[in-house]
Amino acid sequence: MRLLTEFVQDRVVLPDPSEEVHANAELSKIVTGEAAAAGECLKQADEFRNYDEGPLIERIRRTYHTMHTEQTIHFAKQIRERWLKFDHAEMTIMEALEVLNGIIDESDPDTDVPNIMHAFQTAERIRNVHPDKPWLQLTGLIHDLGKIMAFYGEPQWAVVGDTFVVGCEPEDKIVFGKKSFENNPDMKDNKLSSKFGIYEPNCGLDNLIMSWGHDEYMFQVLKHNGSKLPEEGMAIVRYHSFYPWHTSGGYSHLTNESDQEKLRWVREFNKFDLYSKSDPLPDIEALRPYYQALIDQYCPGNILF
């Protein structure tokens, strides 16, 4: 691994022990016990993505409210200029996964373990159901790799969480709803706060400017480095956090027919991304050779981040 700019590890905000003692105790029940030992999921489907209550709710609320205040159209354009120079590090995919070992997602109500665990959990779930789709398994492994931005000083509200379209009125289906955008400067602009904003009706996903986060960044990293993942895998990486669209049915006035195939694959992927979060913790060392072979096939060598 070759660092092109300096790590800023103290900006990776881990849970405050004074706030999270109870949270850790509660969340440990998700990944321990007899059911976990038997390889069973310890949560029911309707228990995931609970943004109303839970041991981590205050941390999550702060992250989203800051995100919905600071992520403006100007910010989205400006931050792309900084990150799409790909001048922060040169490393292999496996090295980047190791970096994720130091990141815990502040926006996620369903897990409080390092992101590398979730990466392998997702990949293994996909492998079990889709053994004939190695590209999808690898997509599961790398889908969150863009979160390494947190190690270079980027606050988590610009790295994690559900994404949304900037440059137009936010959908009420977004986590914490439209009210959480009340202090966003764009909401004071008649154009930027209107239904279509700066976009043409049904212009399509790829013509929208999304809020900045790990999805868009990792998509651009893969594209820049000539990844051999198929279009379906690239779409999953780019839009897997766009829950207001793929789960809640929002933004239909901006999407078009060509987005339907993307939607099908993102929804298929979401079953493994979301519901793997209470699976037993994987034996990463035992799995490493299998996934290294997939990396060598689709994303070999050093990658510029």
Side-chain angles (χ1 to χ4, degrees):
M1 176 172 65
R2 186 164 67 96
L3 299 181
L4 305 181
T5 57
E6 187 178 354
F7 266 150
V8 189
Q9 296 193 45
D10 60 343
R11 290 292 299 278
V12 182
V13 184
L14 299 180
D16 182 345
S18 66
E19 296 181 358
E20 305 296 343
V21 171
H22 174 68
N24 291 339
E26 290 296 311
L27 283 163
S28 68
K29 299 174 184 176
I30 295 175
V31 292
T32 58
E34 294 180 2
E40 300 173 8
C41 180
L42 299 186
K43 293 178 73 173
Q44 300 299 313
D46 60 2
E47 295 180 290
F48 288 88
R49 289 182 58 82
N50 181 347
Y51 293 97
D52 296 320
E53 57 185 6
L56 303 175
I57 192 61
E58 288 309 312
R59 186 181 80 188
I60 294 164
R61 191 185 306 277
R62 286 196 301 270
T63 300
Y64 271 105
H65 277 261
T66 305
M67 178 196 306
H68 294 170
T69 298
E70 300 294 339
Q71 290 252 15
T72 62
I73 184 71
H74 174 73
F75 174 83
K77 291 178 178 179
Q78 187 178 55
I79 199 168
R80 279 164 170 77
E81 293 179 5
R82 179 160 78 247
W83 282 100
L84 299 189
K85 294 175 182 176
F86 309 105
D87 59 356
H88 287 80
E90 181 179 353
M91 65 182 91
T92 67
I93 291 292
M94 199 62 79
E95 287 173 334
L97 283 164
E98 292 296 337
V99 173
L100 288 191
N101 203 39
I103 298 174
I104 295 175
D105 189 329
E106 292 183 335
S107 71
D108 196 331
D110 298 310
T111 187
D112 204 26
V113 298
N115 243 202
I116 190 172
M117 294 294 181
H118 171 57
F120 279 92
Q121 285 174 324
T122 304
E124 280 296 280
R125 272 224 169 188
I126 294 171
R127 183 182 176 189
N128 185 55
V129 176
H130 293 292
D132 60 333
K133 292 182 174 61
W135 66 266
L136 187 57
Q137 298 164 28
L138 182 63
T139 301
L141 187 71
I142 68 173
H143 72 283
D144 278 344
L145 270 187
K147 291 179 182 179
I148 67 169
M149 288 188 292
F151 271 96
Y152 295 94
E154 211 58 66
Q156 287 216 16
W157 57 262
V159 176
V160 303
D162 292 7
T163 56
F164 53 92
V165 183
V166 296
C168 67
E169 178 185 30
E171 288 269 2
D172 203 41
K173 297 178 175 68
I174 296 171
V175 172
F176 298 114
K178 287 183 185 179
K179 184 172 176 57
S180 61
F181 289 82
E182 61 185 358
N183 293 320
N184 185 305
D186 287 357
M187 296 303 100
K188 298 177 175 62
D189 183 287
N190 290 337
K191 180 76 169 178
L192 297 176
S193 61
S194 64
K195 181 178 180 178
F196 290 98
I198 62 174
Y199 307 107
E200 295 296 323
N202 305 114
C203 60
L205 278 182
D206 294 345
N207 291 310
L208 303 176
I209 301 175
M210 303 299 298
S211 59
W212 181 254
H214 66 280
D215 297 44
E216 181 67 21
Y217 178 54
M218 193 58 199
F219 167 80
Q220 295 291 349
V221 166
L222 292 170
K223 182 179 177 181
H224 178 76
N225 287 276
S227 167
K228 298 176 183 177
L229 278 179
E231 290 183 7
E232 296 87 347
M234 296 290 281
I236 289 168
V237 170
R238 193 176 199 180
Y239 298 116
H240 70 271
S241 297
F242 192 16
Y243 275 85
W245 167 65
H246 67 66
T247 296
S248 301
Y251 295 102
S252 60
H253 57 293
L254 296 176
T255 58
N256 58 32
E257 284 299 316
S258 69
D259 296 323
Q260 292 306 302
E261 184 67 6
K262 295 186 184 77
L263 181 61
R264 184 173 78 86
W265 279 107
V266 172
R267 283 180 170 170
E268 176 64 14
F269 173 81
N270 182 247
K271 295 185 294 187
F272 307 103
D273 180 20
L274 179 59
Y275 301 128
S276 66
K277 292 179 181 179
S278 67
D279 284 357
L281 299 183
D283 184 345
I284 292 175
E285 289 309 310
L287 296 172
R288 194 182 296 270
Y290 176 81
Y291 286 102
Q292 184 60 58
L294 298 189
I295 292 168
D296 292 342
Q297 181 178 354
Y298 293 100
C299 306
N302 287 340
I303 304 295
L304 291 173
F305 286 85

